[in-house]
Amino acid sequence: MKRVFALLCLMLYSVLLASCGSNPGSLAVEEDSDGQKMTELTLWTFPVGNWGNPATVSRMLNSFHRDNPDVHISVEYLSYETGDEKVNQAAVDGSLPDLVLEGPERLVAGWGEKGWMVDLSDLWESDGARAIYDNVRAACRHRAGAYYEFPICMSAHCMAINYEMFREADALQYIDEETHTWTTEGFIDAVHALTAYGQENVGILYCKNQSGDQGTRALVNNLYGGSFTDDAHTCYTIDSQENQRALQLLYDLEGIHFEPSLSAMDAIGLFCKGETAMCFCWNGSQEVQQTINNPDLDFEVFPVAFPTDQDAPKLEGGIWGFGIFDNGSGERVEAAKKFIRYIAENDVMYTRAVRASSYWPVRDMDNIYVNDMLMTEYSIFMPYMGDYYQITPEWDKARTAWWQMLTKIGNGEDIPEAVKNFPSPD
């Protein structure tokens, strides 16, 4: 009889759960076994280095839960292939998480622009927040004044070459191995050397979707000194003569292929298998992940800046941090802010969080990668970090227009016509 009664109670509880819908706020405040009030939060994290690794994240959350027994955080791990669609659907369903880890292009220019995010201005009043670099601060602030992101780490994206393949093709002569830079002319000569060596697929401009588009944008913008937006981030400048010249060069260059059927991860996979000589979507975190997880990678990867005819390359900057979705609960918002403060304001936890990303701090700190040769190698790119333009209005539409433009060019459309269809922000 007791078992039947327990089953009936369980069924009733399940019905109550179902009636609450999928909104995580419906059961957000509970009591633990000691009668203490417990706030349940959800965190969705994109794969920012090892922030996409459950074991790494669990260790950090265990520390937070130990020190903050009144808050519990559950995690869901997103991919860049499907993450945007999942967030958009959650907004429709009313099931957005409390916390999310990503960059300003989504948190500020995307979801913040749509009014989905909580203003985090109060988090920027601490001494540690005041020490955050000015360009990072500007990227996290919406043009209306609200801060929709609290940053944790940053990096400068680069590209990579198959060092052994370049050496065998006598193409290393076109790269400054000390500074990890090369010129547009050197890039052209290297591609010619590799095709003469017999390498048919030298590099791939993947354009199946927007994933990894920071690489193709940086390639095009650097070749002849172009830009993606104006300096004030008010309009898009893809149709400039410099960018059109770069696109035409890439289209005409034997060995470089526009591939509408391939995503960034597809291109990375081909590079790691040794099927291409270079990869346009790379950074230190990518090498860490591929070295650990990809058994196909059996050659030396040599990271390089994007080739340019200017005095120095301008690399795409990556900034990642936390945002809070506005789910209508002040109690959950405060609990989420408590977690961000825990990570950002304690030097020990902050160092762990940054190291988990395989990137660098957003404020001045002592070297957190002492004796780490790989991270020391990639730190050479940080001074080349260019303008963070990803907060320009209509950014989500511009990203879509970019890969669609590359697809059109790959399918043979004239470049002056292909570069026309970009949004015009007010």
Side-chain angles (χ1 to χ4, degrees), residues 109-163:
W111 306 325
E113 181 73 16
K114 294 176 181 178
W116 298 354
M117 310 302 295
V118 171
D119 184 1
L120 305 179
S121 293
D122 57 323
L123 295 182
W124 286 83
E125 296 174 359
S126 69
D127 291 340
R130 293 188 186 98
I132 292 173
Y133 302 125
D134 288 343
N135 62 333
V136 176
R137 173 184 289 270
C140 295
R141 182 176 182 270
H142 189 266
R143 65 184 186 280
Y147 286 94
Y148 291 133
E149 176 169 346
F150 194 89
I152 297 298
C153 57
M154 62 187 291
S155 185
H157 296 293
C158 60
M159 58 177 289
I161 66 165
N162 182 322
Y163 190 85

Side-chain angles (χ1 to χ4, degrees), residues 114-369:
K114 294 176 181 178
W116 298 354
M117 310 302 295
V118 171
D119 184 1
L120 305 179
S121 293
D122 57 323
L123 295 182
W124 286 83
E125 296 174 359
S126 69
D127 291 340
R130 293 188 186 98
I132 292 173
Y133 302 125
D134 288 343
N135 62 333
V136 176
R137 173 184 289 270
C140 295
R141 182 176 182 270
H142 189 266
R143 65 184 186 280
Y147 286 94
Y148 291 133
E149 176 169 346
F150 194 89
I152 297 298
C153 57
M154 62 187 291
S155 185
H157 296 293
C158 60
M159 58 177 289
I161 66 165
N162 182 322
Y163 190 85
E164 295 166 17
M165 191 180 294
F166 264 65
R167 181 178 57 212
E168 292 170 4
D170 196 25
L172 287 175
Q173 61 179 305
Y174 304 115
I175 294 176
D176 186 327
E177 294 188 49
E178 182 176 353
T179 63
H180 291 243
T181 60
W182 50 346
T183 65
T184 298
E185 182 179 0
F187 169 75
I188 296 170
D189 289 341
V191 173
H192 287 327
L194 286 156
T195 55
Y197 167 73
Q199 181 61 32
E200 181 179 348
N201 291 318
V202 176
I204 291 175
L205 275 78
Y206 47 87
C207 45
K208 180 179 180 180
N209 51 38
Q210 68 183 29
S211 177
D213 54 0
Q214 72 277 357
T216 52
R217 290 196 309 266
L219 175 65
V220 171
N221 292 162
N222 270 281
L223 283 170
Y224 293 112
S227 64
F228 200 76
T229 73
D230 65 333
D231 292 341
H233 307 146
T234 62
C235 65
Y236 295 96
T237 55
I238 291 82
D239 61 349
S240 70
Q241 291 301 309
E242 293 85 355
N243 287 336
Q244 291 194 49
R245 183 183 178 193
L247 288 164
Q248 191 65 58
L249 169 69
L250 293 168
Y251 184 78
D252 293 338
L253 201 54
E254 184 182 358
I256 302 297
H257 304 286
F258 288 70
E259 292 291 352
S261 64
L262 297 182
S263 67
M265 289 308 299
D266 294 330
I268 291 170
L270 292 174
F271 174 69
C272 290
K273 290 179 180 178
E275 296 184 19
T276 60
M278 58 182 69
C279 182
F280 301 127
C281 184
W282 204 257
N283 53 45
S285 178
Q286 189 65 247
E287 180 160 350
V288 170
Q289 295 300 312
Q290 295 298 328
T291 300
I292 294 173
N293 300 320
N294 195 331
D296 293 326
L297 183 60
D298 61 358
F299 58 86
E300 180 181 351
V301 174
F302 189 79
V304 289
F306 288 91
T308 183
D309 70 345
Q310 306 296 297
D311 292 336
K314 293 181 179 179
L315 302 184
E316 291 261 344
I319 299 171
W320 296 271
F322 293 107
I324 300 175
F325 283 109
D326 188 356
N327 285 317
S329 169
E331 190 165 12
R332 285 161 61 196
V333 167
E334 288 308 309
K337 288 181 179 179
K338 178 186 284 191
F339 172 71
I340 296 175
R341 289 191 179 100
Y342 184 83
I343 294 293
E345 296 180 6
N346 179 298
D347 282 349
V348 173
M349 287 304 302
Y350 180 62
T351 298
R352 287 175 61 187
V354 176
R355 287 180 64 91
S357 72
S358 299
Y359 294 135
W360 285 266
V362 294
R363 53 186 170 88
D364 282 330
M365 293 185 70
D366 293 334
N367 182 13
I368 66 172
Y369 293 112

Side-chain angles (χ1 to χ4, degrees), residues 14-27 93-95:
S14 299
V15 171
L16 289 173
L17 276 178
S19 69
C20 292
S22 58
N23 189 334
S26 56
L27 293 173
D93 297 340
S95 59

